[in-house]
Amino acid sequence: MQANNFKTVRNDVQALLQQAQDLFAEAAAATGKKADDLRAKGQEVLDQALNTAQDAQSAVLQTGREIAASTDDYVQSNPWRAIAISTGIGLLVGLAVGRCADRY
């Protein structure tokens, strides 16, 4: 679910940046009032892309904080289980790295 939201945000930001590039390219070829209007519209599009990216960043930070808080709560309430899980994960990672090192 989160991955789809982030892909959508990324696609939206990319589309907005492409639109801004097109506007600035057109403004470079234009002169006078039309060029000024195109530059202003391009700046608005860039501001919108920046706001979208900042909103996504805020959502990621909030999600990270929630995950960290729930992990901390779990470790506080189940310290030995957390130690056993982390030891098991460390053992699996060590075995995987050892096998990869043997190949080279």
Side-chain angles (χ1 to χ4, degrees):
M1 177 81 180
Q2 291 286 342
N4 289 336
N5 290 340
F6 294 130
K7 285 180 184 179
T8 302
V9 169
R10 184 183 68 203
N11 291 339
D12 289 348
V13 170
Q14 287 176 342
L16 288 169
L17 291 176
Q18 183 61 45
Q19 184 181 1
Q21 285 178 338
D22 294 342
L23 288 170
F24 285 131
E26 190 177 339
T31 58
K33 174 105 171 96
K34 183 176 181 182
D36 292 338
D37 291 342
L38 289 171
R39 284 188 200 99
K41 184 166 174 88
Q43 188 62 43
E44 289 174 16
V45 170
L46 287 176
D47 290 341
Q48 185 179 3
L50 178 64
N51 289 337
T52 302
Q54 287 174 339
D55 291 344
Q57 179 185 13
S58 297
V60 168
L61 287 173
Q62 182 62 32
T63 302
R65 286 185 185 121
E66 290 171 2
I67 290 170
S70 66
T71 302
D72 185 53
D73 291 342
Y74 180 80
V75 170
Q76 293 294 327
S77 62
N78 302 302
W80 289 109
R81 187 177 291 172
I83 290 170
I85 290 171
S86 61
T87 302
I89 291 172
L91 178 66
L92 292 174
V93 169
L95 288 172
V97 169
R99 286 183 184 221
C100 288
D102 289 341
R103 290 183 186 171
Y104 297 107

